[in-house]
């Protein structure tokens, strides 16, 4: 299954999903599947910002002996983003409408992560 | 209801809760209720790191026109932290064991936030 198929599979099963990406921690997207516009929000730029924050979180968690970061979610009044590292260099990010199915989104990323990891 | 009573109310209703704090975005805790040790994790230092990350997220969301950050959660293999801004200067943070009731924790913070805001 190609990356784009895996991203489409995540987006198609989550109500309110806007986009799903495989991104490097350097902020560069490997592959993106976007289904809808998120108003005036630039999803691409948002993902780059999130990559930078996730990188800091990984470093902070390590320093704090808080273990490995398995998931980060950010809810704003315009978008919900769920991120899950898949390797030391890449992570999955799913953007949802604020009224989207957050629980299903977390589940879909958890299921997709090992499949994506296997192909990296 | 004092701050400490409100923090205790949050912690007591959430299975697996370790601690709840009202913190400034400058990383200084106003009040903390801690019920349990989180192994070798220093919850105080973790909260300071989280404050710094939340501050950056607020700025990033504003710049991206992603709206106001309403909630951020960070899951590691040793702790789950849920954060919710209550004003422009303060936020609530709840630390849970990874197997704690994450959904109930989010709910408890959402209910507590306006009560804390009213007393700030």
């Amino acid at each position: 299954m190609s990356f784009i198929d895996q991203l489409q599979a995540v987006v198609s099963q989550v109500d309110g999903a806007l986009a799903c990406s495989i991104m490097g921690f350097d902020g560069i997207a490997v592959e993106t599947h976007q289904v809808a516009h998120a108003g005036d929000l630039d999803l691409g730029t948002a993902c780059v910002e999130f990559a930078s924050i996730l990188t800091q979180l990984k470093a902070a968690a390590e320093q704090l002996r808080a273990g490995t970061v398995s998931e980060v979610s950010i809810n704003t009044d315009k978008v919900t983003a769920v991120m899950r590292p898949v390797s030391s260099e890449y992570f999955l990010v799913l953007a949802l409408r604020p009224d989207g199915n957050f629980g299903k989104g977390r589940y879909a990323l958890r299921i997709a992560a090992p499949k994506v990891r296997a192909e990296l």
Side-chain angles (χ1 to χ4, degrees), chain A residues 7 11-12 14-15 18 25 28 34 37 39 42-43 46 48 50 57 60 65 69 78 81-83 97 99-100 105 111:
Chain A
L7 300 177
V11 165
S12 66
V14 181
D15 274 352
L18 297 167
F25 281 107
I28 296 169
Q34 184 163 349
H37 279 285
D42 176 350
L43 283 172
V48 175
F50 292 159
L57 270 173
R65 290 180 293 180
V69 174
K78 289 190 189 168
V82 187
M83 292 169 281
R97 287 200 308 265
D99 60 350
I111 300 302

Side-chain angles (χ1 to χ4, degrees), chain A residues 70-71 82-86 90-93 106 109-110 113:
Chain A
S70 56
E71 190 191 275
V82 187
M83 292 169 281
R84 177 172 277 273
V86 288
Y90 299 98
F91 66 101
L92 282 169
V93 55
R106 294 177 70 210
L109 277 200
R110 199 167 67 221

Side-chain angles (χ1 to χ4, degrees), chain A residues 3-118:
Chain A
F3 286 150
I4 196 79
D5 290 338
Q6 284 166 334
L7 300 177
Q8 280 172 347
V10 170
V11 165
S12 66
Q13 70 185 289
V14 181
D15 274 352
L18 297 167
C20 190
S21 277
I22 302 171
M23 293 202 65
F25 281 107
D26 56 3
I28 296 169
V30 176
E31 193 72 87
T32 299
H33 175 62
Q34 184 163 349
V35 286
H37 279 285
D40 56 358
L41 172 65
D42 176 350
L43 283 172
T45 314
C47 288
V48 175
E49 289 284 348
F50 292 159
S52 140
I53 285 156
L54 203 50
T55 305
Q56 288 176 54
L57 270 173
K58 275 175 61 182
E62 210 162 293
Q63 197 190 333
L64 293 164
R65 290 180 293 180
T68 315
V69 174
S70 56
E71 190 191 275
V72 175
S73 68
I74 300 166
N75 302 15
T76 78
D77 52 7
K78 289 190 189 168
V79 69
T80 293
V82 187
M83 292 169 281
R84 177 172 277 273
V86 288
S87 75
S88 59
E89 283 168 75
Y90 299 98
F91 66 101
L92 282 169
V93 55
L94 174 65
L96 303 157
R97 287 200 308 265
D99 60 350
N101 192 335
F102 176 59
K104 188 70 183 288
R106 294 177 70 210
Y107 170 79
L109 277 200
R110 199 167 67 221
I111 300 302
K115 296 181 192 167
V116 170
R117 188 183 302 122

